[in-house]
Amino acid sequence: MKQDELAARGNLFRAATASFDFFNPAQALSSLLKLATELTGSERAALYELDEVAGSFAPRFSHATALSELGRIQATPDHPTLRSVLTNRKAAVTGDGRGSLGLPLAPGVVACAPCITCG
């Protein structure tokens, strides 16, 4: 097994076994997004919700960046992490050095760090 694959599995294990206080949703989301940045080495992370009418994901919550600085992500996911999260309803991570992590939180809601499409 490649080193990238081992690291990716370790990150998914950490994400799956992390505990959050879901009685305090804002704190839980902040902690989740902070963990996502740690796992990917990213400076920021965001929670996106699928807007089926507009055909894109809209940012709803963020860590280390303002929501106004984030754009929409097209719902036709060419990005392998988003496609995997939406299809399999399981956490996914890329191993190509870009460090994308996607965590499904609810139907149509994905936490991304960073899930960047089209550059």
Side-chain angles (χ1 to χ4, degrees):
M1 191 173 288
K2 295 179 187 177
Q3 187 68 21
D4 285 346
E5 291 175 10
L6 289 173
R9 287 187 180 194
N11 284 347
L12 290 176
F13 177 79
R14 280 187 61 199
T17 58
S19 62
F20 304 106
D21 180 6
F22 288 104
F23 293 107
N24 185 341
Q27 183 182 25
L29 288 174
S30 292
S31 297
L32 176 71
L33 293 179
K34 183 175 183 275
L35 172 65
T37 61
E38 292 170 9
L39 296 179
T40 62
S42 173
E43 295 178 7
R44 62 186 185 170
L47 178 124
Y48 284 83
E49 180 180 15
L50 179 60
D51 180 348
E52 293 184 34
V53 174
S56 61
F57 285 92
R60 297 294 183 227
F61 199 83
S62 65
H63 172 73
T65 190
L67 281 177
S68 60
E69 294 180 18
L70 300 173
R72 289 179 169 267
I73 297 176
Q74 292 303 311
T76 54
D78 294 327
H79 194 287
T81 305
L82 285 178
R83 185 173 50 247
S84 177
V85 170
L86 292 172
T87 302
N88 302 318
R89 296 183 184 159
K90 293 182 182 177
V93 64
T94 59
D96 62 1
R98 290 176 52 176
S100 291
L101 171 72
L103 301 172
L105 301 181
V109 179
V110 179
C112 302
C115 287
I116 300 171
T117 60
C118 302

